[in-house]
Amino acid sequence: MNKKLYLENGYLNFDYIFKCARKNKTYTIMMVGARGTGKTFGALKYVLDNNMQFLYMRRTQTQLDLIKKHEFSPFNSINKVMGLNIEQFPVTKYSSSIFDSELNDDGKLIPKGDLLGLTAALSTFSNIRSFDASYIKVLIYDEFIGEAHERPIKEESTAFFNALETIGRNRELDGQEPLFTLMLANSNNISNPYFLALNLVGTVEKMLKTGNDVYYDHAQGIMILNLNESPISKLKAQTTLYRMTAGTSFFDMAINNNYTGMCKDAVTTEDIKQYKLLYVLGELAIYKHKSQDRYYVTTHISGTPRKIYRANINGLREFRLKHHEIWMKYCINKISFESYTLQILFEKYYKDML
């Protein structure tokens, strides 16, 4: 465990995290950790302490509308600690401005001081796309991995990248520091749209296996934090709720930072010499056992495949039409995979064909 990631009280050390990001020129920080470990609080306190104007984003407008209500505001705990009275004031029906506030002579709550930040929802961001965001230094995208019951957003990762373009614009071309993008989430789904789009599923899977809590991708400018050793999580494990839910998938997500729905029963290492290559589908090499009714999917290509299919619409459609029996074999547990990443891709390729 990198002890510098945490303060003496067990919560996250955002001063250290931002220092490391700058040093490694990784301006997109993807932070996945168990619940209640100080992700949102620490991020908000850091930008306020450092006078960095920010945009606070949630996935859906419904979520954003809820936290506009004082009772559900993420700034309530900040106000208690910092002695502030931060409130949100509507700008449009999609967005609010964030100010410290005070009561005027009529007892009405009004903004006080300079603008601290704005709020926005990814699902409706395209409606507010044309605005000057050059003063925004940090994008805090909270709960970027949706829970299983939440409705997906069409082309979600592309919508987010378009939002980054709107906020970041050409500041780097003008010699300014890049926009800091701080993405915070619980470990709900390792095959989320962002990990898939950025080819990070395998990286995160490897972090889970090795126990690494920090990863830098210098080429992509990404810093990934897998908070699997949070001191706060260890303390929370002894509280009433988590004693009751010990052994459940909820406990694994909320305390152990294990991704929910991550079934690895089909993940194994096979002796590829016992198999013969049938097809290559995108990144997947699909083999059949030489003497048994079993299949194996890996990235390693040994031999000449009967056919190579590209992972585009036409290639996926052709593969499905000609080899629907491969999916049936998967449904009856006749296919194993070299890694969980490949299992996700296999499922995604078939779902994209439907």
Side-chain angles (χ1 to χ4, degrees):
M1 178 182 74
N2 186 344
K3 294 183 179 180
K4 293 182 180 180
L5 282 175
Y6 304 96
L7 301 168
E8 290 185 4
N9 61 11
Y11 289 103
L12 289 163
N13 184 349
F14 275 85
D15 285 321
Y16 174 75
I17 291 168
F18 271 81
K19 180 180 178 181
C20 290
R22 279 193 171 95
K23 179 181 178 181
N24 288 277
K25 300 185 184 306
T26 50
Y27 288 87
T28 298
I29 306 171
M30 309 180 84
M31 181 182 299
V32 180
R35 299 186 66 175
T37 53
K39 298 186 295 295
T40 303
F41 176 89
L44 292 174
K45 188 173 186 302
Y46 178 86
V47 295
L48 292 169
D49 282 341
N50 290 274
N51 299 312
M52 301 173 77
Q53 290 176 301
F54 63 96
L55 189 146
Y56 179 83
M57 177 179 282
R58 295 294 297 267
R59 288 184 68 251
T60 69
Q61 190 66 43
T62 300
Q63 294 168 339
L64 196 69
D65 290 341
L66 180 64
I67 66 168
K68 279 197 300 188
K69 300 181 184 298
H70 177 79
E71 294 80 2
F72 297 99
S73 172
F75 298 101
N76 289 340
S77 55
I78 291 288
N79 289 336
K80 291 178 183 178
V81 171
M82 299 185 69
L84 300 172
N85 191 33
I86 296 175
E87 293 289 347
Q88 301 170 61
F89 298 87
V91 177
T92 71
K93 68 178 182 178
Y94 303 114
S95 178
S96 298
S97 57
I98 303 168
F99 283 92
D100 195 9
S101 65
E102 61 185 359
L103 295 175
N104 64 10
D105 294 339
D106 297 326
K108 181 180 178 181
L109 201 64
I110 60 172
K112 171 186 174 183
D114 297 329
L115 175 71
L116 301 175
L118 297 173
T119 68
L122 178 64
S123 62
T124 56
F125 194 85
S126 60
N127 295 309
I128 56 172
R129 197 175 275 176
S130 298
F131 72 103
D132 178 18
S134 59
Y135 59 91
I136 298 295
K137 304 303 180 186
V138 181
L139 167 62
I140 300 175
Y141 185 13
D142 206 3
E143 307 291 354
F144 76 92
I145 302 177
E147 296 183 13
H149 63 272
E150 293 181 28
R151 296 181 64 179
I153 298 173
K154 186 177 181 180
E155 299 292 338
E156 182 168 337
S157 61
T158 301
F160 180 64
F161 300 149
N162 279 324
L164 289 181
E165 166 61 24
T166 296
I167 302 166
R169 284 305 183 203
N170 296 336
R171 62 182 70 189
E172 292 176 71
L173 302 183
D174 296 332
Q176 300 177 38
E177 184 176 53
L179 173 75
F180 266 109
T181 303
L182 188 55
M183 304 173 69
L184 315 174
N186 300 322
S187 49
N188 293 317
N189 177 17
I190 196 171
S191 57
N192 62 77
Y194 307 95
F195 287 177
L196 284 171
L198 296 170
N199 296 317
L200 293 173
V201 176
T203 297
V204 175
E205 183 184 7
K206 186 175 181 180
M207 290 178 73
L208 294 173
K209 289 180 179 178
T210 60
N212 288 347
D213 44 20
V214 182
Y215 171 84
Y216 299 102
D217 188 315
H218 298 283
Q220 290 183 282
I222 295 173
M223 175 184 183
I224 303 175
L225 299 175
N226 180 47
L227 308 174
N228 56 355
E229 292 289 340
S230 167
I232 294 299
S233 294
K234 293 179 181 179
L235 294 174
K236 286 170 67 72
Q238 304 305 315
T239 60
T240 302
L241 171 62
Y242 295 106
R243 292 204 310 270
M244 177 180 71
T245 57
T248 66
S249 59
F250 173 78
F251 183 96
D252 276 347
M253 176 276 294
I255 298 297
N256 293 332
N257 197 32
N258 290 332
Y259 287 84
T260 56
M262 192 171 173
C263 179
K264 297 183 180 180
D265 292 346
V267 178
T268 184
T269 299
E270 297 282 350
D271 180 6
I272 204 169
K273 294 179 181 179
Q274 302 300 316
Y275 289 80
K276 182 177 181 179
L277 180 62
L278 293 182
Y279 314 107
V280 172
L281 174 62
E283 300 176 50
L284 312 181
I286 303 173
Y287 290 78
K288 187 180 186 304
H289 198 278
K290 293 178 180 178
S291 61
Q292 301 176 22
D293 186 23
R294 292 167 48 202
Y295 295 76
Y296 185 54
V297 177
T298 177
T299 57
H300 180 68
I301 297 177
S302 177
T304 302
R306 295 178 182 174
K307 188 166 183 178
I308 298 175
Y309 298 88
R310 298 186 65 183
N312 55 25
I313 294 176
N314 291 333
L316 295 175
R317 183 182 292 119
E318 182 184 358
F319 184 84
R320 181 191 179 210
L321 290 173
K322 292 183 176 180
H323 309 295
H324 63 276
E325 78 284 355
I326 300 292
W327 177 254
M328 297 306 298
K329 296 296 182 181
Y330 178 65
C331 292
I332 59 174
N333 301 318
K334 294 289 186 179
I335 302 181
S336 56
F337 299 84
E338 181 182 25
S339 70
Y340 185 64
T341 305
L342 298 185
Q343 184 177 357
I344 291 172
L345 281 176
F346 180 85
E347 292 184 355
K348 185 176 186 295
Y349 286 164
Y350 265 95
K351 289 176 182 178
D352 283 353
M353 290 185 282
L354 299 178

